[in-house]
Short mmCIF file of all heavy atoms in Angstrom, two decimals:
data_model
loop_
_atom_site.label_atom_id
_atom_site.label_comp_id
_atom_site.label_asym_id
_atom_site.label_seq_id
_atom_site.Cartn_x
_atom_site.Cartn_y
_atom_site.Cartn_z
N ILE A 276 2.12 77.13 -64.44
CA ILE A 276 1.19 77.12 -63.35
C ILE A 276 -0.20 77.35 -63.89
O ILE A 276 -0.48 78.41 -64.53
CB ILE A 276 1.57 78.14 -62.30
CG1 ILE A 276 2.90 77.83 -61.69
CG2 ILE A 276 0.46 78.26 -61.25
CD1 ILE A 276 3.43 78.81 -60.69
N GLY A 284 1.59 70.44 -56.67
CA GLY A 284 2.92 70.65 -56.09
C GLY A 284 2.87 71.78 -55.17
O GLY A 284 1.88 72.43 -54.95
N THR A 285 4.07 72.06 -54.60
CA THR A 285 4.24 73.20 -53.65
C THR A 285 5.53 73.94 -54.03
O THR A 285 6.59 73.44 -54.30
CB THR A 285 4.44 72.64 -52.22
OG1 THR A 285 3.28 71.90 -51.90
CG2 THR A 285 4.54 73.84 -51.23
N VAL A 286 5.36 75.29 -54.05
CA VAL A 286 6.49 76.13 -54.37
C VAL A 286 7.54 76.08 -53.29
O VAL A 286 7.22 76.27 -52.12
CB VAL A 286 6.06 77.59 -54.63
CG1 VAL A 286 7.27 78.47 -54.82
CG2 VAL A 286 5.08 77.70 -55.79
N VAL A 287 8.82 75.82 -53.67
CA VAL A 287 9.86 75.77 -52.65
C VAL A 287 10.86 76.91 -52.87
O VAL A 287 11.66 77.22 -51.92
CB VAL A 287 10.60 74.38 -52.73
CG1 VAL A 287 9.68 73.25 -52.34
CG2 VAL A 287 11.21 74.15 -54.10
N GLU A 288 10.89 77.53 -54.02
CA GLU A 288 11.78 78.64 -54.23
C GLU A 288 11.31 79.52 -55.40
O GLU A 288 10.71 79.00 -56.34
CB GLU A 288 13.20 78.10 -54.57
CG GLU A 288 14.20 79.12 -54.79
CD GLU A 288 15.56 78.60 -55.29
OE1 GLU A 288 15.57 77.40 -55.62
OE2 GLU A 288 16.55 79.35 -55.27
N ALA A 289 11.47 80.80 -55.24
CA ALA A 289 11.16 81.74 -56.31
C ALA A 289 12.34 82.76 -56.40
O ALA A 289 12.51 83.52 -55.53
CB ALA A 289 9.82 82.47 -56.06
N ARG A 290 13.09 82.66 -57.50
CA ARG A 290 14.26 83.43 -57.59
C ARG A 290 14.11 84.49 -58.71
O ARG A 290 13.85 84.09 -59.88
CB ARG A 290 15.50 82.55 -57.90
CG ARG A 290 16.85 83.17 -57.74
CD ARG A 290 17.99 82.27 -58.12
NE ARG A 290 17.69 80.90 -57.91
CZ ARG A 290 18.15 79.89 -58.72
NH1 ARG A 290 18.91 80.19 -59.71
NH2 ARG A 290 17.90 78.62 -58.39
N LEU A 297 12.52 82.54 -61.56
CA LEU A 297 12.71 81.05 -61.67
C LEU A 297 12.07 80.40 -60.46
O LEU A 297 12.44 80.62 -59.37
CB LEU A 297 14.19 80.72 -61.71
CG LEU A 297 14.59 79.30 -61.92
CD1 LEU A 297 14.24 78.92 -63.40
CD2 LEU A 297 16.12 79.13 -61.70
N VAL A 298 11.04 79.68 -60.73
CA VAL A 298 10.21 79.07 -59.69
C VAL A 298 10.44 77.55 -59.61
O VAL A 298 10.35 76.88 -60.65
CB VAL A 298 8.74 79.36 -59.89
CG1 VAL A 298 7.86 78.76 -58.77
CG2 VAL A 298 8.48 80.89 -59.91
N ARG A 299 10.78 77.03 -58.48
CA ARG A 299 10.87 75.58 -58.34
C ARG A 299 9.70 75.06 -57.55
O ARG A 299 9.29 75.63 -56.52
CB ARG A 299 12.21 75.24 -57.64
CG ARG A 299 13.43 75.66 -58.42
CD ARG A 299 14.74 75.11 -57.76
NE ARG A 299 15.88 75.50 -58.59
CZ ARG A 299 16.37 74.79 -59.52
NH1 ARG A 299 15.77 73.66 -59.87
NH2 ARG A 299 17.37 75.26 -60.24
N VAL A 300 9.17 73.98 -58.05
CA VAL A 300 7.97 73.37 -57.42
C VAL A 300 8.30 71.92 -57.14
O VAL A 300 8.70 71.15 -57.98
CB VAL A 300 6.81 73.48 -58.40
CG1 VAL A 300 5.56 72.79 -57.81
CG2 VAL A 300 6.49 74.91 -58.78
N ALA A 301 8.10 71.56 -55.90
CA ALA A 301 8.22 70.15 -55.48
C ALA A 301 6.89 69.45 -55.73
O ALA A 301 5.80 69.96 -55.35
CB ALA A 301 8.55 70.02 -54.00
N VAL A 302 6.95 68.37 -56.49
CA VAL A 302 5.72 67.66 -56.83
C VAL A 302 5.18 66.88 -55.58
O VAL A 302 5.91 66.16 -54.98
CB VAL A 302 5.96 66.69 -57.99
CG1 VAL A 302 4.70 65.94 -58.38
CG2 VAL A 302 6.53 67.44 -59.15
N ALA A 318 5.34 85.42 -59.57
CA ALA A 318 5.90 84.34 -58.76
C ALA A 318 5.12 84.18 -57.46
O ALA A 318 5.07 85.02 -56.61
CB ALA A 318 7.36 84.59 -58.47
N PRO A 319 4.53 82.97 -57.23
CA PRO A 319 3.94 82.75 -55.91
C PRO A 319 5.01 82.51 -54.89
O PRO A 319 6.07 81.96 -55.23
CB PRO A 319 3.11 81.44 -56.17
CG PRO A 319 3.81 80.76 -57.34
CD PRO A 319 4.41 81.88 -58.17
N PRO A 320 4.87 82.87 -53.69
CA PRO A 320 5.84 82.74 -52.63
C PRO A 320 6.09 81.29 -52.24
O PRO A 320 5.17 80.46 -52.45
CB PRO A 320 5.37 83.54 -51.48
CG PRO A 320 3.87 83.63 -51.61
CD PRO A 320 3.68 83.59 -53.14
N PRO A 321 7.21 80.92 -51.68
CA PRO A 321 7.46 79.56 -51.22
C PRO A 321 6.35 79.10 -50.22
O PRO A 321 5.88 79.93 -49.42
CB PRO A 321 8.84 79.65 -50.52
CG PRO A 321 9.50 80.80 -51.22
CD PRO A 321 8.42 81.79 -51.53
N GLY A 322 6.00 77.85 -50.35
CA GLY A 322 4.94 77.31 -49.53
C GLY A 322 3.56 77.31 -50.18
O GLY A 322 2.62 76.72 -49.65
N THR A 323 3.44 78.03 -51.28
CA THR A 323 2.20 78.08 -52.02
C THR A 323 1.80 76.80 -52.74
O THR A 323 2.68 76.34 -53.52
CB THR A 323 2.19 79.23 -53.02
OG1 THR A 323 2.49 80.47 -52.40
CG2 THR A 323 0.86 79.41 -53.72
N PRO A 324 0.69 76.17 -52.47
CA PRO A 324 0.29 75.02 -53.27
C PRO A 324 -0.13 75.50 -54.66
O PRO A 324 -0.81 76.49 -54.83
CB PRO A 324 -0.89 74.44 -52.50
CG PRO A 324 -1.45 75.54 -51.75
CD PRO A 324 -0.28 76.49 -51.38
N VAL A 325 0.31 74.77 -55.66
CA VAL A 325 -0.01 75.10 -57.09
C VAL A 325 -0.36 73.87 -57.85
O VAL A 325 -0.12 72.75 -57.44
CB VAL A 325 1.19 75.81 -57.74
CG1 VAL A 325 1.46 77.14 -57.12
CG2 VAL A 325 2.41 74.89 -57.71
N LEU A 327 0.12 72.31 -61.77
CA LEU A 327 0.94 72.48 -62.95
C LEU A 327 0.34 71.77 -64.16
O LEU A 327 -0.26 70.74 -64.06
CB LEU A 327 2.32 71.92 -62.72
CG LEU A 327 3.13 72.48 -61.53
CD1 LEU A 327 4.44 71.70 -61.36
CD2 LEU A 327 3.41 73.94 -61.71
#
Side-chain angles (χ1 to χ4, degrees):
I276 295 176
T285 303
V286 175
V287 295
E288 181 185 12
R290 194 185 329 149
L297 185 68
V298 179
R299 295 186 180 275
V300 179
V302 180
T323 304
V325 294
L327 303 175

